[in-house]
Amino acid sequence: MSRYNFAYLDEQTKRMIRRAVLKAVAVPGYQVPFGSREMPLSYGWGTGGVQVTASVIGPTDVLKVIDQGADDTTNAVSIRKFFERTTGVATTTRTEAATLIQTRHRIPETPLRVGQIVVFQVPIPEPLRWLEPREAETRKMHALEEYGVMYVRLYEDITRHGRVAQTYEYPVIVDGRYLMRPSPIPKFDNPKLDRSPALMLFGAGREKRIYAVPPWTSVKSLDFDDHPFEIEHWDRPCALCGATSVFLDELIVDDKGGRLFICSDTDFCSRRRAASDPIPGR
Amino acid sequence: MNATVDDRPLLSVRGLGKHYGGRMGCRDVGFDLWSGEVLGIVGESGSGKTTVLNCLSGRVAADAGQVGYTKADGSVVDMRRLDESARRRLLRTEWGVVHQHARDGLRMGVTAGANVGERLMALGARHYGRVRGRALDWLARVEIAESRIDDLPETFSGGMLQRLQIARNLVTEPRLVLMDEPTGGLDVSVQARLLDLLRGLVDDLGLSAVIVTHDLAVARLLANRLLVMRGGEVVESGLTDQVLDDPQHPYAQLLVSSVLQP
């Protein structure tokens, strides 16, 4: 602990990242470039999210880290340990007890509240990437609000599959202005971004971009009038806790094709099971 | 078409010039293009035809001159001084650009329908069924079978690609279309069909067009008036038949006499 500055990053770096965060909050959905640092974990493991967390975390924060909805997978455990060692802050798995939640791939099922900050690890921040390879051009398209090509992609999906087949990092318009790629969360979680009471921060370490959705900001998933946005549905409840209207993971349990569908949010699921009187599903 | 639009040229170009470093691309090019008129720019390779076209669309920034354009609402703008967002918007709405190589003007990774529908969606169309309906309509107008709407352009022949590119541009019913060698690289029978189609579309829609070509036969078929360019300058201009049948400038005479007669 004594060998590192609080939260690992030096104070100058934190100030630089906080300035980027402030700008990102001021211009919702806009990707702010920042001087991303080398972190003691490899790109793709959450370097962007870790830097944002390190810059906003304080000694009184309570940290929760999830990976694919789970508190106990390698990435979540490693990042939680990292901040335990470098900050000494309290950690938790309970969504409502956390003030700061770093996440990869999910927004918790338990509703967020005012004062919470959610930090997303973002692999590719640019929603127009794969449609327009030139970075200078994508920036111009954002500046001029030229988002027609994104609809070309939705058109293609409907043409080929009869519906929009994009199931994660489903593109959204933030505050009626900027097109944003909401990290790789399932589209199931998109409605949770809309007018959320919590502050959402997105950090992309390799691509060196930070963007944000401030509390109570409108976040609209792109769609066509005759093909409205829809979230995933499952025809069965969670096999462990019986919750409905939650995001379920498919688990293969034997070699005979046996499978289970269980909550992807482990905290939500285990506490429902622990409670003798299960809290109602959302 | 109201009177205020008719009594001004659609496009009024004066003193257009472009240097690529020390080399001259074009110099002091000027012409008026009236509504419903097709202007051909002919000349040999390297004579500055494409530079002029690119300067008009703003793809290449000209060094000198004015490009006055009368918008649909009757106001006149100088394309060179227009800010980029307004210029790009005009290019998507009132202008169309048909590239020599269809692959430059198309999205090769998405279906024909999406290619045609892109400009509609960029302008705010948010109804899948209607976008598709318009795309089907336009594919029919450029003589591409409806059954090909969900095929990738990769699977199209050269002539079909060029027609698809034309449909993609015309779907928003632009007032002015810039075409760079629209028949380049196509064999003669395909060229003939494409020319037929273009002539029909220009007549039906009352399009104005600037067509760059090195092929005098194409110019004779499509253009009302011609500019003959050489070494970056306009050496002769006039009505198409006048320029082709009675060329005055020595270079224009050379150009006309160089055409092989089958």
Side-chain angles (χ1 to χ4, degrees):
Chain A
M1 168 91 198
S2 59
R3 272 175 290 171
Y4 297 109
N5 188 29
F6 180 77
Y8 182 78
L9 287 177
D10 61 274
E11 292 303 313
Q12 284 304 320
T13 300
K14 287 195 217 170
R15 284 170 60 126
M16 176 268 293
I17 294 175
R18 284 175 199 146
R19 276 197 295 270
V21 168
L22 285 174
K23 182 168 180 181
V25 170
V27 193
Y30 171 74
Q31 299 166 48
V32 183
F34 77 109
S36 178
R37 299 291 189 253
E38 289 277 336
M39 295 302 284
L41 73 166
S42 41
Y43 286 134
W45 285 72
T47 52
V50 166
Q51 288 179 78
V52 172
T53 300
S55 304
V56 299
I57 198 168
T60 57
D61 268 316
V62 180
L63 179 71
K64 171 183 165 78
V65 184
I66 50 177
D67 170 13
Q68 306 269 10
D71 292 272
D72 53 3
T73 55
T74 314
N75 201 205
V77 169
S78 307
I79 293 175
R80 189 162 55 235
K81 269 194 189 153
F82 173 79
F83 283 112
E84 278 171 357
R85 275 183 62 192
T86 58
T87 66
V89 302
T91 56
T92 183
T93 58
R94 298 163 60 92
T95 299
E96 65 273 23
T99 56
L100 188 57
I101 302 170
Q102 179 168 339
T103 176
R104 172 169 176 256
H105 294 178
R106 283 308 311 279
I107 297 175
E109 304 289 359
T110 309
L112 300 171
R113 57 174 168 78
V114 175
Q116 284 180 317
I117 299 177
V118 184
V119 176
F120 295 80
Q121 304 167 195
V122 179
I124 294 163
E126 179 51 70
L128 300 166
R129 188 66 66 243
W130 318 133
L131 300 169
E132 172 52 62
R134 294 164 292 179
E135 176 70 18
E137 182 66 14
T138 57
R139 288 200 206 180
K140 200 168 275 178
M141 290 160 84
H142 281 296
L144 302 179
E145 225 177 326
E146 287 179 1
Y147 296 143
V149 61
M150 203 75 222
Y151 283 90
V152 170
R153 179 169 177 180
L154 300 189
Y155 174 99
E156 282 294 278
D157 266 10
I158 297 172
T159 301
R160 288 183 196 182
H161 310 291
R163 66 194 159 79
V164 178
Q166 182 92 15
T167 55
Y168 63 100
E169 58 191 11
Y170 191 102
V172 294
I173 293 279
V174 180
D175 200 25
R177 176 59 181 86
Y178 280 100
L179 182 69
M180 187 184 92
R181 179 188 277 236
S183 155
I185 59 170
K187 65 178 177 180
F188 182 88
D189 286 343
N190 272 19
K192 294 181 194 164
L193 288 169
D194 186 33
R195 296 180 200 286
S196 164
L199 168 64
M200 311 278 189
L201 301 177
F202 298 79
R206 176 172 40 204
E207 304 281 328
K208 303 177 170 55
R209 295 287 184 280
I210 287 173
Y211 50 103
V213 178
W216 314 115
T217 305
S218 107
V219 176
K220 189 182 175 308
S221 305
L222 297 192
D223 59 3
F224 283 105
D225 296 345
D226 49 346
H227 287 267
F229 174 76
E230 278 180 349
I231 58 171
E232 298 95 327
H233 292 287
W234 287 264
D235 55 3
R236 64 192 87 184
C238 168
L240 299 179
C241 75
T244 54
S245 330
V246 293
F247 191 85
L248 299 182
D249 281 342
E250 183 178 2
L251 221 65
I252 295 176
V253 290
D254 55 32
D255 291 339
K256 299 189 274 297
R259 57 193 60 189
L260 276 181
F261 285 85
I262 60 166
C263 289
S264 109
D265 186 338
T266 54
D267 165 60
F268 180 83
C269 191
S270 57
R271 276 160 57 207
R272 270 175 59 91
R273 277 179 286 150
S276 52
D277 179 22
I279 53 171
R282 291 195 327 107
Chain B
M1 195 73 44
N2 59 44
T4 55
V5 174
D6 260 353
D7 57 18
R8 268 201 299 264
L10 188 68
L11 199 62
S12 178
V13 179
R14 294 287 175 273
L16 196 67
K18 170 71 190 170
H19 278 79
Y20 298 103
R23 273 184 310 118
M24 197 231 298
C26 65
R27 194 176 74 185
D28 198 24
V29 174
F31 61 86
D32 284 337
L33 179 73
W34 296 81
S35 187
E37 192 181 34
V38 178
L39 178 78
I41 303 180
V42 296
E44 61 192 9
S45 295
S47 59
K49 308 181 302 268
T50 300
T51 297
V52 170
L53 204 69
N54 285 340
C55 286
L56 294 181
S57 67
R59 205 171 133 178
V60 167
D63 306 325
Q66 291 124 39
V67 180
Y69 171 68
T70 309
K71 292 207 291 183
D73 62 14
S75 61
V76 180
V77 291
D78 184 352
M79 295 299 282
R80 283 196 58 220
R81 279 175 189 74
L82 211 56
D83 71 73
E84 188 166 20
S85 77
R87 190 171 58 75
R88 282 169 70 125
R89 191 168 176 80
L90 265 187
L91 279 174
R92 281 204 311 268
T93 53
E94 298 187 16
W95 291 39
V97 180
V98 175
H99 297 266
Q100 176 174 7
H101 303 290
R103 282 159 194 272
D104 295 343
L106 291 170
R107 278 185 199 281
M108 298 305 285
V110 302
T111 59
N115 267 292
V116 179
E118 177 171 352
R119 273 170 71 127
L120 294 172
M121 292 185 275
L123 295 180
R126 294 291 177 263
H127 192 284
Y128 174 82
R130 284 202 278 273
V131 169
R132 198 172 164 80
R134 290 280 295 278
L136 277 171
D137 184 35
W138 268 99
L139 288 180
R141 290 178 82 161
V142 298
E143 298 165 19
I144 294 175
E146 290 195 356
S147 59
R148 304 301 301 269
I149 187 171
D150 295 337
D151 291 346
L152 292 179
E154 295 283 357
T155 65
F156 285 16
S157 68
M160 282 170 80
L161 283 178
Q162 202 54 280
R163 280 178 280 149
L164 181 62
Q165 195 194 181
I166 288 165
R168 173 180 158 90
N169 273 284
L170 296 189
V171 67
T172 52
E173 292 173 16
R175 303 167 69 223
L176 172 64
V177 181
L178 308 180
M179 299 194 201
D180 189 3
E181 307 273 8
T183 57
L186 302 176
D187 59 58
V188 280
S189 59
V190 176
Q191 271 192 27
R193 275 180 64 201
L194 187 69
L195 289 172
D196 247 11
L197 176 77
L198 276 176
R199 259 214 308 202
L201 287 173
V202 166
D203 283 351
D204 288 353
L205 302 171
L207 276 181
S208 308
V210 178
I211 296 182
V212 159
T213 181
H214 65 271
D215 187 336
L216 296 183
V218 170
R220 190 189 281 279
L221 269 173
L222 286 178
N224 306 116
R225 281 193 303 128
L226 281 189
L227 298 183
V228 182
M229 289 192 68
R230 187 197 189 190
E233 292 177 313
V234 176
V235 294
E236 184 159 350
S237 65
L239 295 174
T240 300
D241 49 357
Q242 183 191 328
V243 172
L244 293 183
D245 297 338
D246 183 19
Q248 302 296 311
H249 188 276
Y251 174 71
Q253 291 170 351
L254 178 74
L255 195 69
V256 170
S257 63
S258 307
V259 176
L260 291 175
Q261 301 296 335

